[in-house]
Amino acid sequence: MIISRTPYRISFFGGGTDYPSWFRTYGGAVLAATIDKYCYLCCRYLPPFFDFRYRVVYARTESTTTVDAIEHPAVREVLRFLQIERGLSIQHDGDLPARSGMGSSSAFTVGLLNALHALMGQIASQQQLAQEAIEVEQERLKETVGCQDQIMAAYGGINHITFLPDSQFLVRPVTLAPERLAELDASLMLFYTGVKRTAAQVAETYVQHLSAKKQQLRVMKALVEEGLSILTGQRDLKEFGELLHEGWELKRSLSNAVSNPRIDAIYEAARKAGALGGKITGAGGGGFLLLFVPPEQQPAVKEALANLIHVPFHFDFSGSRIIYFDPETDYAIVEQERMRQPLTEFEELAVTTPPQAA
């Protein structure tokens, strides 16, 4: 049995420039971080004593005899990609809701790849996990997703990621003095808006026309360097919050689907209560709202957003990890024998209660 733990991410600047349709021509850059909220995946070879070969447990439970019959798209394509032929049990649990802009889909894909590689006795590197997750999501599932989520889930930490026109990427960890890191940590707040959405659907409203948004995206890319300069320099960290506000205004201009009246009202209420800036995490449209709030203003912001769930968090620096390994009984030979046997089908016994005497 293998259990993987993979962090969710928050993106500060550069989102949108991590889509291949943009960076393959103009290059891209992102400043993002992972937090101590995780996707957990428990994987084991399924003992061959059931009338199914694959059991997948997430928001629903699937029990199938073939990989092709699995309806969860990421599970199905990862199994095809890794060409695993043995029966499997896969169980998912997460700290945050799905479809919430925290990179949960990519954390799932990265965590599943990591767990299954480990189950096969392989140690996958961070770069390998990121590249394989990108291939599964973009090439096999044909999803309209960028590349930062998979990289952040695999590597963890606070990173400056550069995307090159040849589709390669460079990950540079952002190293901060302990005092600076603690100040940043203490100035960020995360609220769940309660609005679920599929990131790919929001992204489709603007990704196909990114070349028409050159001015906004070039400025968004430049904000990455500005944000780095603030974090790693001697400037007042409040400027980082003000820069987040500038970036959010640019992101909203990409598409009407990035925000909506409900999100705008929440954001404005937070600003009036003392937040210097913020953004909807991920592609937009809903999910989580990240805010930069000086500590002394945070009680007022919590009160102003009292109808939303506040999620305290700290940064994660571990990336996707295998946190549990137990070498269970290997039923490989028994499974092979069973596959060759014409077994009697399983059935439910119908028990009839005899009528009671008068």
Side-chain angles (χ1 to χ4, degrees):
M1 179 181 291
I2 298 288
I3 300 178
S4 69
R5 188 188 75 178
T6 306
Y8 298 133
R9 66 95 189 93
I10 53 176
S11 179
F12 297 122
F13 302 108
T17 71
D18 63 319
Y19 287 91
S21 58
W22 173 264
F23 69 69
R24 285 175 181 166
T25 301
Y26 305 102
V30 166
L31 179 61
T34 53
I35 65 173
D36 60 350
K37 302 295 178 283
Y38 303 97
C39 163
Y40 296 89
L41 281 154
C42 176
C43 300
R44 64 188 291 242
Y45 288 124
L46 188 72
F49 312 126
F50 302 90
D51 60 346
F52 51 85
R53 298 193 66 227
Y54 302 95
R55 186 174 183 84
V56 186
V57 181
Y58 48 111
R60 49 175 294 201
T61 298
E62 296 187 53
S63 299
T64 72
T65 57
T66 66
V67 171
D68 292 343
I70 296 174
E71 295 184 16
H72 192 294
V75 173
R76 185 181 63 248
E77 294 307 318
V78 166
L79 294 185
R80 286 173 174 171
F81 176 77
L82 295 178
Q83 299 180 342
I84 297 179
E85 298 181 354
R86 293 188 59 181
L88 288 168
S89 171
I90 299 171
Q91 297 190 48
H92 165 261
D93 196 9
D95 287 336
L96 299 176
R99 298 187 294 132
S100 57
M102 301 296 292
S104 57
S105 295
S106 294
F108 182 98
T109 305
V110 169
L112 183 58
L113 285 164
N114 200 8
L116 293 180
H117 275 298
L119 194 62
M120 294 186 293
Q122 304 165 359
I123 299 176
S125 68
Q126 295 168 319
Q127 182 178 18
Q128 179 184 352
L129 289 173
Q131 290 175 329
E132 290 182 352
I134 290 171
E135 179 176 343
V136 167
E137 294 184 358
Q138 294 183 357
E139 305 299 329
R140 292 174 175 261
L141 292 173
K142 304 297 182 183
E143 293 183 349
T144 306
V145 294
C147 298
Q148 65 163 309
D149 292 0
Q150 305 88 340
I151 297 169
M152 290 303 303
Y155 282 78
I158 305 175
N159 293 311
H160 173 208
I161 308 172
T162 303
F163 300 96
L164 306 177
D166 63 358
S167 293
Q168 297 298 308
F169 59 84
L170 304 175
V171 181
R172 183 175 65 166
V174 179
T175 55
L176 301 176
E179 298 79 9
R180 191 67 158 178
L181 181 62
E183 184 183 3
L184 177 63
D185 185 274
S187 301
L188 296 173
M189 303 182 76
L190 192 65
F191 291 88
Y192 183 47
T193 66
V195 180
K196 290 186 177 181
R197 84 293 175 275
T198 301
Q201 293 177 349
V202 177
E204 285 173 358
T205 66
Y206 58 83
V207 169
Q208 305 303 324
H209 310 287
L210 287 180
S211 59
K213 306 287 185 178
K214 289 182 182 178
Q215 181 177 355
Q216 294 100 311
L217 285 166
R218 283 172 173 159
V219 175
M220 289 167 70
K221 182 182 176 183
L223 292 183
V224 172
E225 294 296 333
E226 182 73 8
L228 278 170
S229 176
I230 296 171
L231 285 183
T232 59
Q234 302 299 318
R235 297 161 62 179
D236 192 328
L237 196 60
K238 291 181 179 179
E239 294 184 39
F240 192 83
E242 295 164 355
L243 201 66
L244 280 173
H245 176 66
E246 182 179 341
W248 172 238
E249 291 298 313
L250 282 167
K251 186 70 175 285
R252 290 177 71 251
S253 70
L254 294 179
S255 165
N256 291 333
V258 170
S259 190
N260 53 58
R262 177 175 174 178
I263 299 301
D264 289 343
I266 293 171
Y267 184 69
E268 286 307 312
R271 291 259 296 165
K272 288 180 181 179
L276 298 181
K279 64 190 292 287
I280 288 292
T281 59
F288 280 86
L289 176 66
L290 176 70
L291 296 170
F292 186 100
V293 188
E296 64 273 14
Q297 299 295 329
Q298 291 185 10
V301 171
K302 287 183 68 174
E303 183 177 354
L305 304 184
N307 60 328
L308 303 182
I309 297 176
H310 173 231
V311 181
F313 71 90
H314 299 288
F315 295 116
D316 163 273
F317 292 90
S318 62
S320 186
R321 295 179 55 194
I322 302 301
I323 61 171
Y324 181 81
F325 166 66
D326 181 19
E328 297 181 321
T329 301
D330 189 349
Y331 291 104
I333 296 177
V334 178
E335 185 175 2
Q336 292 172 8
E337 291 176 350
R338 185 206 154 156
M339 295 301 294
R340 292 192 294 265
Q341 288 178 282
L343 298 178
T344 302
E345 291 186 6
F346 289 21
E347 62 178 310
E348 184 76 21
L349 177 64
V351 179
T352 302
T353 303
Q356 298 189 11

mmCIF file of all heavy atoms in Angstrom, residues 46-50 52 331-332 334-336 338 343:
data_model
loop_
_atom_site.group_PDB
_atom_site.id
_atom_site.type_symbol
_atom_site.label_atom_id
_atom_site.label_comp_id
_atom_site.label_asym_id
_atom_site.label_seq_id
_atom_site.Cartn_x
_atom_site.Cartn_y
_atom_site.Cartn_z
ATOM 1 N N LEU A 46 -5.026 -4.579 -6.036
ATOM 2 C CA LEU A 46 -6.244 -5.179 -5.504
ATOM 3 C C LEU A 46 -6.105 -6.697 -5.451
ATOM 4 O O LEU A 46 -5.805 -7.331 -6.466
ATOM 5 C CB LEU A 46 -7.437 -4.801 -6.391
ATOM 6 C CG LEU A 46 -8.821 -5.188 -5.861
ATOM 7 C CD1 LEU A 46 -9.197 -4.293 -4.678
ATOM 8 C CD2 LEU A 46 -9.861 -5.050 -6.962
ATOM 9 N N PRO A 47 -6.305 -7.319 -4.287
ATOM 10 C CA PRO A 47 -6.264 -8.789 -4.223
ATOM 11 C C PRO A 47 -7.288 -9.384 -5.198
ATOM 12 O O PRO A 47 -8.391 -8.847 -5.344
ATOM 13 C CB PRO A 47 -6.634 -9.087 -2.765
ATOM 14 C CG PRO A 47 -6.226 -7.859 -2.020
ATOM 15 C CD PRO A 47 -6.506 -6.725 -2.954
ATOM 16 N N PRO A 48 -6.957 -10.478 -5.862
ATOM 17 C CA PRO A 48 -7.806 -11.014 -6.944
ATOM 18 C C PRO A 48 -8.952 -11.884 -6.438
ATOM 19 O O PRO A 48 -9.194 -12.971 -6.974
ATOM 20 C CB PRO A 48 -6.805 -11.825 -7.770
ATOM 21 C CG PRO A 48 -5.840 -12.343 -6.764
ATOM 22 C CD PRO A 48 -5.686 -11.237 -5.747
ATOM 23 N N PHE A 49 -9.665 -11.398 -5.423
ATOM 24 C CA PHE A 49 -10.742 -12.194 -4.848
ATOM 25 C C PHE A 49 -12.094 -11.496 -4.980
ATOM 26 O O PHE A 49 -13.005 -11.744 -4.210
ATOM 27 C CB PHE A 49 -10.451 -12.491 -3.368
ATOM 28 C CG PHE A 49 -9.049 -12.990 -3.129
ATOM 29 C CD1 PHE A 49 -8.218 -12.372 -2.206
ATOM 30 C CD2 PHE A 49 -8.563 -14.085 -3.840
ATOM 31 C CE1 PHE A 49 -6.925 -12.820 -1.995
ATOM 32 C CE2 PHE A 49 -7.261 -14.536 -3.629
ATOM 33 C CZ PHE A 49 -6.440 -13.910 -2.714
ATOM 34 N N PHE A 50 -12.202 -10.603 -5.955
ATOM 35 C CA PHE A 50 -13.435 -9.851 -6.170
ATOM 36 C C PHE A 50 -13.918 -10.076 -7.601
ATOM 37 O O PHE A 50 -13.175 -10.593 -8.447
ATOM 38 C CB PHE A 50 -13.203 -8.355 -5.926
ATOM 39 C CG PHE A 50 -12.681 -8.037 -4.546
ATOM 40 C CD1 PHE A 50 -11.300 -7.988 -4.294
ATOM 41 C CD2 PHE A 50 -13.545 -7.783 -3.497
ATOM 42 C CE1 PHE A 50 -10.818 -7.706 -3.026
ATOM 43 C CE2 PHE A 50 -13.071 -7.492 -2.228
ATOM 44 C CZ PHE A 50 -11.707 -7.459 -1.994
ATOM 45 N N PHE A 52 -14.439 -7.675 -9.593
ATOM 46 C CA PHE A 52 -13.979 -6.510 -10.344
ATOM 47 C C PHE A 52 -12.467 -6.416 -10.179
ATOM 48 O O PHE A 52 -11.890 -7.003 -9.257
ATOM 49 C CB PHE A 52 -14.663 -5.222 -9.855
ATOM 50 C CG PHE A 52 -14.583 -5.015 -8.364
ATOM 51 C CD1 PHE A 52 -13.475 -4.405 -7.780
ATOM 52 C CD2 PHE A 52 -15.614 -5.438 -7.523
ATOM 53 C CE1 PHE A 52 -13.400 -4.222 -6.405
ATOM 54 C CE2 PHE A 52 -15.554 -5.250 -6.153
ATOM 55 C CZ PHE A 52 -14.444 -4.644 -5.591
ATOM 56 N N TYR A 331 0.084 -10.707 -4.681
ATOM 57 C CA TYR A 331 -0.795 -11.697 -5.283
ATOM 58 C C TYR A 331 -0.631 -11.768 -6.793
ATOM 59 O O TYR A 331 -1.542 -12.202 -7.500
ATOM 60 C CB TYR A 331 -2.256 -11.356 -4.960
ATOM 61 C CG TYR A 331 -2.625 -11.536 -3.509
ATOM 62 C CD1 TYR A 331 -2.774 -10.434 -2.666
ATOM 63 C CD2 TYR A 331 -2.857 -12.807 -2.987
ATOM 64 C CE1 TYR A 331 -3.128 -10.596 -1.337
ATOM 65 C CE2 TYR A 331 -3.211 -12.975 -1.655
ATOM 66 C CZ TYR A 331 -3.342 -11.864 -0.837
ATOM 67 O OH TYR A 331 -3.700 -12.029 0.483
ATOM 68 N N ALA A 332 0.521 -11.347 -7.308
ATOM 69 C CA ALA A 332 0.696 -11.292 -8.768
ATOM 70 C C ALA A 332 0.479 -12.649 -9.419
ATOM 71 O O ALA A 332 -0.221 -12.767 -10.435
ATOM 72 C CB ALA A 332 2.090 -10.754 -9.102
ATOM 73 N N VAL A 334 -1.136 -15.297 -8.179
ATOM 74 C CA VAL A 334 -2.534 -15.693 -7.995
ATOM 75 C C VAL A 334 -3.432 -14.950 -8.974
ATOM 76 O O VAL A 334 -4.367 -15.519 -9.552
ATOM 77 C CB VAL A 334 -2.980 -15.424 -6.551
ATOM 78 C CG1 VAL A 334 -4.452 -15.795 -6.361
ATOM 79 C CG2 VAL A 334 -2.104 -16.177 -5.567
ATOM 80 N N GLU A 335 -3.129 -13.658 -9.191
ATOM 81 C CA GLU A 335 -3.929 -12.862 -10.118
ATOM 82 C C GLU A 335 -3.807 -13.386 -11.545
ATOM 83 O O GLU A 335 -4.789 -13.483 -12.276
ATOM 84 C CB GLU A 335 -3.498 -11.393 -10.061
ATOM 85 C CG GLU A 335 -4.356 -10.465 -10.903
ATOM 86 C CD GLU A 335 -3.982 -9.007 -10.729
ATOM 87 O OE1 GLU A 335 -3.024 -8.720 -9.986
ATOM 88 O OE2 GLU A 335 -4.656 -8.150 -11.335
ATOM 89 N N GLN A 336 -2.589 -13.752 -11.939
ATOM 90 C CA GLN A 336 -2.392 -14.308 -13.287
ATOM 91 C C GLN A 336 -3.158 -15.612 -13.459
ATOM 92 O O GLN A 336 -3.766 -15.866 -14.508
ATOM 93 C CB GLN A 336 -0.893 -14.523 -13.540
ATOM 94 C CG GLN A 336 -0.094 -13.233 -13.650
ATOM 95 C CD GLN A 336 1.399 -13.485 -13.698
ATOM 96 O OE1 GLN A 336 1.848 -14.628 -13.788
ATOM 97 N NE2 GLN A 336 2.181 -12.413 -13.635
ATOM 98 N N ARG A 338 -5.848 -16.524 -11.838
ATOM 99 C CA ARG A 338 -7.282 -16.234 -11.861
ATOM 100 C C ARG A 338 -7.712 -15.742 -13.235
ATOM 101 O O ARG A 338 -8.785 -16.087 -13.723
ATOM 102 C CB ARG A 338 -7.636 -15.199 -10.812
ATOM 103 C CG ARG A 338 -9.151 -14.999 -10.766
ATOM 104 C CD ARG A 338 -9.565 -13.643 -10.266
ATOM 105 N NE ARG A 338 -10.868 -13.301 -10.814
ATOM 106 C CZ ARG A 338 -11.698 -12.451 -10.257
ATOM 107 N NH1 ARG A 338 -11.366 -11.867 -9.142
ATOM 108 N NH2 ARG A 338 -12.847 -12.173 -10.821
ATOM 109 N N LEU A 343 -14.086 -18.644 -14.202
ATOM 110 C CA LEU A 343 -14.721 -18.685 -12.886
ATOM 111 C C LEU A 343 -16.236 -18.529 -12.975
ATOM 112 O O LEU A 343 -16.767 -17.887 -13.886
ATOM 113 C CB LEU A 343 -14.158 -17.575 -11.998
ATOM 114 C CG LEU A 343 -12.658 -17.639 -11.697
ATOM 115 C CD1 LEU A 343 -12.257 -16.439 -10.857
ATOM 116 C CD2 LEU A 343 -12.308 -18.934 -10.982
#
